[in-house]
Amino acid sequence: MASPLPPSPASLHLKKVSSEGASSESLGSESPGEEFEFSGWVYHIRISSLGHEACHLRFLRIRGKYVEMFKRDPSQDPGNNPIRRGIVGRTLMVEEFGRRKLNDVDFYVLRIFNRLDQTKKGEIACSSVGDAHKWMEAFDHAKQLAEYDLSRSGSSRNKLNMENEIDLEGHRPRVRRYAHGFKKLIRIGRGPESLLHQSTNLANKGGSTDFGGNGSGDVIEAHEWKCVRTVNGIRIFEDVSDPKNGKAVIVKAVAVLEASADTAFEVITNLDRRQRYEWDTLMDDLKLVESLDGHFDVIYGKHDSRYLGRCQSKKDFVFSRQWFRGQDGTYTILHFPTVDKKCPPKPGYRRIKINPSTWEIRSLKTKATSNGARCLVTQMLEMKTVGRFKWRSNPYSSFEKSISYALLSQVAGLKEYIGANPGLTSASATVVSSKYSDGNLSSGEYADDEVADQFYDAMSTDSSSSDEDVEDEVDKDRKDIKIKLRNVSWAIAGLALRRNSAKDLGTELDLNVSPAILDPSQYHGTMRQGKDDNDYNSWTSPNGAGFMIRGKTYLKDNAKVMGGDPLFKLISVDWFKVEKPFSRVALHSSSLVQVPAKPNYSLVLYYAADRPINKNSLLGKFVDGNDLFRDSRLKLIPRIVEGYWMVKRAVGTKACLLGKAVTCEYLRKDNFLEIDVDIGSSSVARSVIGLVLGYVTSLVVDLAILIEGKEEAELPEYLLGTVRLNRVRLDTAQALDI
């Protein structure tokens, strides 16, 4: 049986306290050598011996590269030994599993597993989406530190400890206390009483300057937005890029909210009736029909027509809802009208179809005069212009009685509701420093070698009794000071590189060697090269004019420039379908990119350089570097050139660090580097691809690959390679036996 779930508010507040106890408002400078401690309350989810899902309230702590799980807060009970502990090793993966109901309370679940053996896995649940992503950052930081320590350590014992995996099945291992001495401690969440925060509690709590929504991505979009109306201070835009399209128009409402993106997301996705009555003019009563996964569900809603139009009939609707969170923290929510067998038409109601729409929530830089978070909220929807209602010609009164107007008014209602409830904007996490000024933790500081256990093994079972209670211990008198939690993981990955890098790395290719002739017509893949961009089921290689990449001064002003011609030449493309996923195309017929579907579709892109790679260049360091460095630098920029606008919003316009989003494997041989990308390793990627495949025959998709530049000497960025996929047909994929 699952243990009872306590109520929980849980925002994240960050605080730093000096060793003498005085508070400070900033973390100060951070270096890769500094040890961090992340801690807070989570729920450990496991399957009991009887096959029941059980939840146990646990205190989780990450110190350096080590992870511990306690029944009570060790800072308040020093004699409390960890019941689970392990190392965050190189094969550990943390995946966001989205939202799940446990005992009728919404949680955000993280799945922790071994990418080489997914039978070794565990799950933790967080009260808010913000907490979940802070824990993802914490695990990523620990993994980076473990890799860094391993790379610089000459000790075979340390390397052995990082590779050994001890099975904790059926017993608790003997654990000695860890060494002390961490400079920065980061507390995630407030305490056990504030964990599992129900969305309905929100109702009871009483970067960019481009607020039009353009220019924030890494591609050049075809939209041309014109402000056509303002409603209660909210601007409404129309896409006028295609004036010949008389069947439908895309419109959007835009507003700046004095709240974090996490808070706005929680309010928008909350189905609680009382809360929605305060800001939503359209969706009176919403009910979850079914949840297909943590990022995809089906919603039933009712609408009272007395507030819109002259028709007095009751209306209801069913729509699907998908949501994603980008690596930059931007949320995208998609609403599609749908049909579900579990929700047939009801007597007395007229079933309608709501407009396809999206929400996009993007964090903004905080004003210098304000300590509060801000975000830009954009609601975009498709409006039909044929028939009774026409967007341009009808008088305002007709528009203001339409479903479309009610949808766009949600942004105005949301802004006013959040403004009237300052408690919603509470921040979330606490940062303090320990009494010890310095200290680096190594595996030698443990009393025995059992600490080599990987943490997903430690989470696979829980030998404690399911009826054990956890004491609610929290310091209610602590005053929290908000600061920004900095992402320093990339600094660890790049430390060795920075130490040995000269200021001038030279060109990426060896210009002393005469260029080779690369003719794509001499190479024959299973997908043909297109004649032009109007061709179908083919590929071409576009220039970089549609992509925005980091310029020379990016570190000073965040300025991006238009991409140029790619460094590598695309010489061939293969399009396969197989029954089981596979990799290592250079050793046998397999794939570079695998699309999760049944059967599995695999796309192979072959790039070549006309000269040898300069070993001292950033590209040379990427090709000959370790997997950690590659994962932290390999970047993909997607761009939907042609296609349904909802697909464009789902795919997005932002660059993605592939190694952080999905599992990548690398094969380095004498004259090539192969990168195998498993899209199916991410539930979010699977969901997006599922949507894309439904429209793939009408899509023109551009992809750009590059190495992220993070230091001045590595800028400006350049494109490694590009590809344009023109209206691909799934049935043309060549079957491959492996």
Side-chain angles (χ1 to χ4, degrees), residues 3 87 103 161 200 207 243 307 333 467 495 506 535 579 586 591 616 634 638 649 669 678 709 727 729:
S3 55
I87 289 176
N103 285 20
N161 282 346
T200 55
Y307 303 108
I333 309 170
D467 60 357
L495 180 63
D535 209 342
E579 292 302 322
S591 75
N616 295 322
L634 181 62
R649 306 327 299 176
K669 295 297 181 182
D678 182 9
R727 307 168 188 88
R729 290 172 48 190

Side-chain angles (χ1 to χ4, degrees), residues 84-353:
R84 295 285 176 262
R85 80 285 177 271
I87 289 176
V88 180
R90 65 173 61 190
T91 58
L92 181 139
M93 301 292 292
V94 180
E95 180 183 5
E96 177 196 5
F97 246 38
R99 185 160 41 200
R100 185 191 305 173
K101 278 193 178 295
L102 301 172
N103 285 20
D104 294 325
V105 179
D106 283 330
F107 294 96
Y108 294 88
V109 177
L110 298 181
R111 178 172 175 258
I112 303 169
F113 64 97
N114 181 347
R115 65 181 175 87
L116 301 181
D117 183 3
Q118 295 202 21
T119 62
K120 299 177 178 179
K121 58 187 177 182
E123 292 181 341
I124 60 175
C126 305
S127 61
S128 71
V129 68
D131 283 359
H133 289 101
K134 293 297 182 185
W135 278 117
M136 291 183 70
E137 291 180 9
F139 275 100
D140 183 65
H141 184 97
K143 185 176 180 180
Q144 300 269 1
L145 182 61
E147 290 279 3
Y148 172 72
D149 285 350
L150 181 61
S151 66
R152 70 176 184 174
S153 173
S155 170
S156 59
R157 179 177 179 272
N158 285 346
K159 294 183 178 181
L160 181 62
N161 282 346
M162 291 296 294
E163 295 173 359
N164 287 347
E165 298 177 3
I166 299 176
D167 187 3
L168 302 182
E169 190 83 24
H171 75 281
R172 293 182 189 170
R174 180 169 57 90
V175 181
R176 298 289 180 86
R177 294 183 62 183
Y178 288 86
H180 296 282
F182 285 80
K183 284 189 175 179
K184 294 184 174 66
L185 291 85
I186 299 174
R187 187 66 163 266
I188 303 179
R190 293 184 178 177
E193 84 295 341
S194 66
L195 184 61
L196 301 176
H197 162 57
Q198 297 188 43
S199 299
T200 55
N201 287 346
L202 287 171
N204 300 327
K205 291 185 178 181
S208 168
T209 60
D210 174 33
F211 297 163
N214 297 324
S216 62
D218 294 313
V219 304
I220 298 177
E221 292 193 87
H223 293 296
E224 185 177 354
W225 297 106
K226 178 181 179 181
C227 184
V228 293
R229 294 187 182 180
T230 58
V231 178
N232 296 328
I234 304 303
R235 293 175 296 160
I236 298 179
F237 295 80
E238 177 186 354
D239 181 10
V240 296
S241 60
D242 187 7
K244 297 181 180 180
N245 182 12
K247 295 183 179 180
V249 296
I250 310 301
V251 295
K252 70 177 181 179
V254 179
V256 175
L257 272 59
E258 299 297 326
S260 68
D262 294 335
T263 297
F265 171 80
E266 296 274 8
V267 175
I268 292 171
T269 57
N270 188 4
L271 304 184
D272 178 65
R273 175 181 179 180
R274 294 181 180 179
Q275 186 185 93
R276 297 198 79 91
Y277 271 13
E278 295 196 44
W279 67 272
D280 191 343
T281 60
L282 175 66
M283 301 179 180
D284 293 340
D285 297 293
L286 297 180
K287 181 179 70 174
L288 179 67
V289 178
E290 61 177 331
S291 181
L292 303 180
D293 61 44
H295 296 90
F296 191 113
D297 47 32
V298 178
I299 307 295
Y300 169 77
K302 297 177 182 178
H303 168 62
D304 192 341
S305 299
R306 291 179 298 172
Y307 303 108
L308 288 176
R310 299 176 181 176
C311 179
Q312 298 299 314
S313 64
K314 295 181 179 180
K315 301 176 183 178
D316 64 359
F317 46 84
V318 181
F319 64 94
S320 64
R321 181 177 67 178
Q322 292 177 267
W323 68 273
F324 324 103
R325 187 181 190 270
Q327 290 180 341
D328 64 342
T330 298
Y331 291 97
T332 301
I333 309 170
L334 310 179
H335 289 172
F336 282 99
T338 190
V339 176
D340 193 282
K341 294 181 179 179
K342 295 182 179 180
C343 194
K346 298 182 180 296
Y349 286 88
R350 182 166 67 90
R351 181 65 52 90
I352 63 173
K353 290 184 178 181

Side-chain angles (χ1 to χ4, degrees), residues 26-39:
S26 66
L27 280 174
S29 59
E30 297 163 345
S31 67
E34 288 181 326
E35 299 283 0
F36 278 75
E37 177 178 308
F38 301 80
S39 61

Side-chain angles (χ1 to χ4, degrees), residues 539-651:
W539 65 270
T540 56
S541 184
N543 59 31
F547 302 98
M548 301 298 293
I549 59 179
R550 296 181 176 184
K552 184 64 179 177
T553 60
Y554 178 82
L555 298 180
K556 299 177 181 177
D557 54 17
N558 292 329
K560 294 184 178 181
V561 297
M562 189 179 297
D565 292 332
L567 183 68
F568 286 173
K569 191 175 187 65
L570 181 61
I571 58 175
S572 185
V573 174
D574 273 329
W575 179 229
F576 296 133
K577 63 179 178 180
V578 293
E579 292 302 322
K580 296 186 298 183
F582 57 100
S583 59
R584 301 205 168 192
V585 64
L587 302 184
H588 53 77
S589 296
S590 66
S591 75
L592 182 67
V593 176
Q594 301 189 41
V595 179
K598 294 296 183 181
N600 293 277
Y601 291 95
S602 299
L603 181 70
V604 189
L605 309 176
Y606 301 90
Y607 292 95
D610 60 0
R611 288 184 172 94
I613 296 174
N614 184 344
K615 299 295 184 181
N616 295 322
S617 66
L618 177 61
L619 176 58
K621 289 178 168 54
F622 177 85
V623 170
D624 294 324
N626 57 36
D627 291 354
L628 170 67
F629 179 72
R630 293 165 176 159
D631 281 347
S632 68
R633 295 301 189 98
L634 181 62
K635 192 157 67 173
L636 174 73
I637 306 177
R639 177 174 179 247
I640 305 294
V641 181
E642 293 181 16
Y644 186 40
W645 73 274
M646 290 281 280
V647 178
K648 291 184 178 182
R649 306 327 299 176
V651 172

